[in-house]
Amino acid sequence: MNRNALQRLAIMRAAMGLYAVVWTLVRSANIIDTSGQPARRFDPIGPLWFLDRPLPTWVTVLGILTVLVAGTALIVGWRYRISAPTAAIAFLFVTTYRNSWGHIIHTENLASLQLLVLAIAPAATVWSLDARRGAETDTGERDDGWWAVNAMAVLAVGTYFMAGVAKLRISGLHWVNGDVLLHQVAFDNARKIIVGAPESPFAAFFLSQHWMMAPAAIGAMLIELGAPLALIKERFAAVWVTTAIMLHFGILAIMAILFPYQLLGLAMLPLLPIEARAPGVLHRHRWLGNFLRWQRRSPITSTT
Amino acid sequence: MAPLIAAAIVLSPIVHDPRHDSYPLSTYPMFAPDRGALLTIDTVVRVDSSGVVHRLDPNTISGTDEIVTASVVAVKAIQRGEADLLCREVADRIGDPDSTVEVRSEQVNTIDVVDHHADPISVTIWAECRFGE
């Protein structure tokens, strides 16, 4: 089966860019509401650590609009050298600022990091408007793009590995006996009830099935600490991606916590030969094939 | 080289205390600690004129629809001695002069709460206020 990093990057460009745009659009009201909280709650983190007071609301709105406009250009690969870094930095700003109000939400960390790599990758060399107009889009004809695919794959598995390490460092091997998971699921759902939000409809049933706790905890730990194995072989990657997505379905079912980027499999795209499926998809969706055939050149130099 | 740099970056929080969290680089500590079943959970409630306690939604508590943010807003207001400020903020959002708003800590058995919405074992009230006061 042929492997082509430039095509894989192009697919990731469209998918991850679409995610950033849709997420920002859907969460825009929440982001603006969050940034409108009283200044005493402002607690800047990460790349915004240096701020000593909240920014005016118009800056947040400008950040959102920048993600929407630059992100749309990123999706179709238009003026990629400018649009991609602009979208990635704007997305990082919007998500960091949203998290700078006393509570860190962990659903967009990986999307932010992978977008930063995608922004400097040769991801608009094929299947893009830049390629169509013959623009000098990327870092040179010899850049096969695998460095970017592999870097984004490492970010994905590294994130899960870190989550497993945190469990071991904070709770030790005690984490896998099932009690910690039981208490975590109970706490998270009870907190939802107490702050007037809907809990998971499956939580009470899950908590009553004590025998499931230890196997579920061991499974979660194996998926997290075993994530680096996905870098070794495509077959391992396919198995790991499947189990990781199942883990997120489980988290959604019993804790009503949605990790959309991971659940949709977007975080794991660098690990999979998604470009091998492209001919079949283009055959089924002719409009997409016609769009992509607009391009004038296809400098695909790397097939293995 | 790029994958090695990516690995160094994503694993770099390992040098911190595992409870030290940031963004976009994180230790991902959220599901790691053993919280136990008996816990104190901070929140804000409305008490109507007949003394019935009504749960408020996250938006009314914190001004955003984020569930955990609402909980953290109550936690931090109590920790920082700002329960009165939060109480007035929530009372203004509700706008009902006949109800009392309470910022409070509820000691609960979390499993019982999820199982049958059990009442709190004990309640500590940090601030009490009415709209317009």
Side-chain angles (χ1 to χ4, degrees):
Chain A
M1 199 190 302
N2 285 337
R3 299 288 179 271
N4 189 303
L6 298 178
Q7 291 179 348
R8 193 178 303 184
L9 285 168
I11 296 169
M12 288 194 284
R13 184 195 79 227
M16 294 174 175
L18 188 62
Y19 177 83
V21 167
V22 171
W23 182 90
T24 304
L25 195 60
V26 170
R27 298 307 286 156
S28 56
N30 168 269
I31 296 162
I32 293 168
D33 286 347
T34 301
S35 64
Q37 292 187 79
R40 67 178 184 276
R41 290 189 197 142
F42 187 59
D43 185 12
I45 55 161
L48 297 180
W49 63 270
F50 57 89
L51 292 176
D52 59 1
R53 71 190 70 174
L55 297 165
T57 303
W58 66 263
V59 178
T60 312
V61 174
L62 184 63
I64 291 169
L65 291 175
T66 304
V67 175
L68 299 182
V69 174
T72 303
L74 177 150
I75 293 167
V76 295
W78 186 69
R79 309 277 180 191
Y80 193 76
R81 280 185 176 171
I82 297 167
S83 64
T86 304
I89 291 170
F91 188 76
L92 178 64
F93 163 74
V94 166
T95 52
T96 305
Y97 194 65
R98 175 179 178 250
N99 279 317
S100 291
W101 296 85
H103 171 64
I104 299 173
I105 299 164
H106 297 90
T107 48
E108 314 314 321
N109 299 51
L110 192 46
S112 294
L113 292 171
Q114 289 185 327
L115 271 175
L116 288 172
V117 177
L118 192 71
I120 56 170
T125 309
V126 298
W127 298 341
S128 69
L129 292 182
D130 281 351
R132 181 194 167 208
R133 65 188 176 86
E136 287 299 323
T137 51
D138 297 304
T139 51
E141 294 287 332
R142 281 180 297 176
D143 186 347
D144 63 9
W146 282 113
W147 63 268
V149 171
N150 292 333
M152 285 193 277
V154 166
L155 289 174
V157 301
T159 296
Y160 286 85
F161 184 74
M162 283 295 289
V165 169
K167 292 177 177 69
L168 284 181
R169 290 178 74 195
I170 293 175
S171 292
L173 280 175
H174 174 62
W175 202 90
V176 296
N177 74 11
D179 286 348
V180 182
L181 182 61
L182 174 91
H183 295 149
Q184 183 64 48
V185 172
F187 162 71
D188 196 82
N189 283 284
R191 179 171 59 180
K192 284 184 169 73
I193 292 166
I194 289 171
V195 298
E199 77 273 31
S200 159
F202 307 108
F205 173 77
F206 183 73
L207 291 176
S208 70
Q209 306 298 310
H210 281 249
W211 63 272
M212 288 173 68
M213 297 300 157
I218 292 168
M221 188 67 91
L222 286 176
I223 291 167
E224 291 180 342
L225 292 179
L229 294 175
L231 297 172
I232 296 173
K233 266 188 158 188
E234 268 181 13
R235 194 170 294 175
F236 292 170
V239 172
W240 180 78
V241 168
T242 305
T243 56
I245 291 174
M246 285 168 59
L247 172 70
H248 285 289
F249 267 112
I251 294 170
L252 178 63
I254 63 173
M255 296 166 82
I257 297 175
L258 177 64
F259 285 82
Y261 189 67
Q262 289 82 353
L263 197 63
L264 291 168
L266 299 176
M268 294 80 163
L269 290 181
L271 289 156
L272 302 172
I274 45 177
E275 70 278 13
R277 304 259 179 205
V281 172
L282 296 181
H283 182 72
R284 281 195 299 277
H285 303 281
R286 295 201 173 176
W287 62 271
L288 184 58
N290 291 336
F291 172 77
L292 296 175
R293 271 191 286 278
W294 281 1
Q295 66 176 26
R296 289 176 184 163
R297 63 174 190 165
S298 183
I300 300 169
T301 55
S302 170
T303 53
T304 55
Chain B
M1 181 61 88
L4 288 178
I5 294 171
I9 289 171
V10 77
L11 299 178
S12 63
I14 217 161
V15 300
H16 298 300
D17 181 289
R19 290 169 189 81
H20 171 86
D21 203 3
S22 189
Y23 183 90
L25 299 175
S26 171
T27 52
Y28 301 95
M30 61 280 194
F31 301 142
D34 187 357
R35 300 177 185 274
L38 281 181
L39 284 176
T40 299
I41 299 180
D42 302 325
T43 189
V44 188
V45 298
R46 179 174 73 85
V47 184
D48 67 23
S49 53
S50 51
V52 177
V53 173
H54 299 269
R55 298 279 179 212
L56 299 172
D57 60 63
N59 216 353
T60 309
I61 295 172
S62 66
T64 85
D65 61 6
E66 205 67 58
I67 296 161
V68 186
T69 301
S71 178
V72 171
V73 160
V75 171
K76 297 214 166 173
I78 292 168
Q79 282 175 353
R80 294 173 180 168
E82 296 170 350
D84 287 331
L85 287 174
L86 177 61
C87 191
R88 283 198 291 276
E89 197 182 308
V90 174
D92 285 347
R93 276 195 205 103
I94 295 172
D96 176 11
D98 296 328
S99 295
T100 305
V101 173
E102 288 180 2
V103 178
R104 61 192 211 162
S105 301
E106 299 184 5
Q107 194 193 23
V108 294
N109 181 317
T110 54
I111 297 170
D112 290 345
V113 171
V114 177
D115 187 47
H116 53 274
H117 287 218
D119 287 335
I121 297 162
S122 67
V123 174
T124 305
I125 297 171
W126 299 96
E128 217 173 20
C129 62
R130 280 173 185 267
F131 173 66
E133 279 184 352

